[in-house]
Amino acid sequence: MRTMGGDQVEEAVAGAVALLRTVTDRDWAEPRAGRLEWSCRETAEHVAGDLIAYAGQLAGRATDAYVPFEITFDGSDDGLDPADNEGVLHVIETTGALLAAAVRTTPREVRAFHPYPFRSADREGFAAMGVTEVLVHTHDIAEGLGLAYEPSAGLCEDVLTRIFPHVQPGADPWRTLLWATGRGELPGRAPLAEWRWNNTLVIPAERLTLQGVTPAAAADLAVGGDGGFAWVDGGPYQGTKDAAGMLLKAYEAGVHRPQWGMFTLVRTEDGRAVGGMGFHGAPDENGRVEIGYDLVEAARGHGYATEALRALSAWALDREEVTSVFATTDPGNTASQAVITRAGFTRADEEDAGQFAYELRR
């Protein structure tokens, strides 16, 4: 699958700089950047600040807060003159190169602090956030300076399928991204006054982490790929592929809710994926949410499924809207029944389409 990484950061920065370099002789300090309150120059400073901040988070492995530093173009007490427009672009190029390098050299399992929505992001998340900042704020600056700007559809789709999994895709990825960031209109969709991107949720267990699957990863898993994960021999299992296909259909229909989606079970000792687990959808009107799972055959018999089921069920029951977690299994699948009961579920009186039903209540 196409990863979200340094190449995309460099592509976004190169496109932005190439456009803005055509108007370095104009005033950037006075014109407002699109719908923003900032000037075009202030917006460019914001882009550079975000790029270096994301690079710093990854390089410094910051886990609790942002590393407290910032960029200014206004000169200094040491005799440095304020940056001219060409200097501004040089800073954006440099900070973009730093983020690209940080993304390329950061191991896949590393996560660093970002406040929204789950207080962390991995290297792909920081790359996608950096690209988004460049794309949408170049749009703002271009609008303020009267320039035409449109990045590649592939770059926009990369961003949408990784940090906008809650946004239904559209026929035009660039217009969809502008709408998703409160900057445009799409037929049949109400304008957005507020917006957020959505980094993947990671839930820790004892020997595993449950790592949220993005629509980009699901699309790859559904057709037999690895989804960007390093699997143990024999993985991913068919149930994981099927669940990925269901996630993708929900995303395309605009009903996917990432925190109630699918997770890959990854061993902390070696970063290898051993299975999949997730919800069949958001909680219903009674606060009930259903969980399903599978493991690669080579990973069975080690208690991974029980451990993951406990962790995911506990996370769900800690949500205010959830009152119970539900799971079903075939009557002849005694191994799965053992996993469910070891995780604390009890047999429900009902049956579900001929399957045994189990429930765990708050």
Side-chain angles (χ1 to χ4, degrees), residues 268-345:
T268 54
E269 67 178 32
D270 59 3
R272 293 275 178 176
V274 299
M277 183 173 290
F279 302 104
H280 290 194
D284 65 19
E285 64 276 8
N286 297 316
R288 182 194 237 190
V289 64
E290 185 173 357
I291 284 182
Y293 60 89
D294 74 1
L295 280 184
V296 178
E297 287 189 23
R300 296 174 186 174
H302 300 281
Y304 293 138
T306 300
E307 179 182 322
L309 186 55
R310 285 173 180 158
L312 190 56
S313 299
W315 181 88
L317 290 172
D318 199 37
R319 313 274 79 75
E320 184 177 346
E321 64 268 39
V322 175
T323 58
S324 66
V325 181
F326 183 70
T328 63
T329 184
D330 292 331
N333 192 343
T334 57
S336 182
Q337 292 162 28
V339 167
I340 294 171
T341 55
R342 283 197 299 268
F345 286 67

Side-chain angles (χ1 to χ4, degrees), residues 58 61 102-111 122-124:
L58 285 175
R61 307 292 194 263
V103 168
R104 289 186 176 119
T105 56
T106 298
R108 187 193 179 284
E109 296 303 308
V110 168
R111 297 186 73 83
D122 62 9
R123 65 188 186 189
E124 285 208 4

Side-chain angles (χ1 to χ4, degrees), residues 35 177-184 192-193 195:
R35 305 181 186 187
L177 181 59
L178 289 177
W179 174 83
T181 56
R183 287 171 168 80
L192 294 181
W195 63 273

